[in-house]
Amino acid sequence: MLGPVTGGRIVRGRNDISQQITSSADLGAHYYTIAYTPSSSGEEAAQYRKIRVVCLRPDLTATTRTGYYSGETLEEKASATAAYDLTTAAEAAIPLNAIRVTVEPDTSPNAQPNTYIVHAGAANLTWKLKDDGSATASVYIMAVSLNAKNTMLGHMLHGMKANAMPGANLNDPAKMADFAFSVQPLPKTLKLRFIVRDKFTGRMGSVDLPLKRH
C-alpha cells in the first residue's frame, strides 16, 4: 500500500542488498525529473491533489505517488507546526540565515513600551500579488527570552503580514519588510532572540538582541 502512495519501489523476498543498491544506482542514471504547477490554487482544490502521468512513448515509465496534500495551504493553517519549528530553532545555538533579519527597539514618539521593529529581507519572503499591483507577505515571528546560559525562559508567537506598494522592487536585496513586535522580557532575561519564519516556504532567519540591565 505504501509503495504506490509514496512513489517508492517495492522489493519482496530479496536478501541481496548489494544488488539492490547497484540496481538503484543504475536506474538513477537514467531518470529524468518532471514537475508541474497546478492550474487551480483555490482552497477546496488544494486539500488533496491527485497525480496521474501518462507516457505517450511505450518505452518510458513514469514513477510517482498517487497524490499529495498542498503544503502551502496547510502551512498557513498549521500554526502548531510553525510553533514547533520555531521553538526548536529558538533552542539552537547556530543562527538561522535563510531570511536576513535585524531588530531594533522602536524609538518612534508614539511607540508602546517594549516594542521592537523586526526587519526581514524582502527578497527572502514569499509575496502574493494583488490586483492593484500591491503585495503581501505572511510570516510567523517568535520572540524568545534567554537567560545567561542561553536557556529559553519563555516565548511569544505571532502571525504577521507585511504590505508592499505597487511597483516596489521586492527582489532588491537592500529592501526590508518591517514588523512591529511587542514583548515583555521575562525576569532574568539577558537576551531576546527573534525568529522569522515564512509561512509558505518555511524559511527561517534569526537575530539576537542583548538587553541592557539596570
Side-chain angles (χ1 to χ4, degrees), residues 95-198:
L96 305 172
N97 56 16
I99 297 177
R100 184 163 59 98
V101 180
T102 61
V103 64
E104 60 187 357
D106 189 348
T107 58
S108 60
N110 299 322
Q112 297 295 319
N114 299 305
T115 298
Y116 303 86
I117 303 299
V118 181
H119 309 282
N124 306 134
L125 302 179
T126 303
W127 293 89
K128 298 296 183 180
L129 291 176
K130 296 182 179 180
D131 293 339
D132 62 356
S134 63
T136 61
S138 299
V139 300
Y140 289 108
I141 299 181
M142 177 178 281
V144 184
S145 296
L146 301 171
N147 64 12
K149 296 182 179 180
N150 277 335
T151 300
M152 183 169 60
L153 303 175
H155 65 266
M156 179 178 293
L157 173 65
H158 290 311
M160 310 187 80
K161 287 188 176 183
N163 297 301
M165 299 293 290
N169 181 10
L170 300 175
N171 293 318
D172 183 354
K175 197 169 191 61
M176 306 292 279
D178 298 338
F179 305 90
F181 197 106
S182 297
V183 55
Q184 176 63 51
L186 297 174
K188 298 185 179 180
T189 298
L190 293 185
K191 180 169 55 179
L192 285 175
R193 176 169 295 163
F194 292 88
I195 307 170
V196 179
R197 182 182 190 274
D198 187 283

Side-chain angles (χ1 to χ4, degrees), residues 20-75:
Q20 292 302 315
I21 293 175
T22 301
S23 175
S24 296
D26 181 64
L27 287 172
H30 298 86
Y31 274 137
Y32 290 86
T33 301
I34 61 175
Y36 79 102
T37 300
S39 58
S40 173
S41 59
E43 183 79 7
E44 182 176 347
Q47 295 302 312
Y48 184 78
R49 300 184 187 275
K50 294 181 179 180
I51 299 175
R52 188 170 75 94
V53 180
V54 177
C55 294
L56 300 181
R57 286 176 50 180
D59 56 331
L60 298 180
T61 300
T63 302
T64 183
R65 47 186 169 169
T66 57
Y68 67 98
Y69 289 95
S70 174
E72 186 168 294
T73 298
L74 295 177
E75 187 69 48

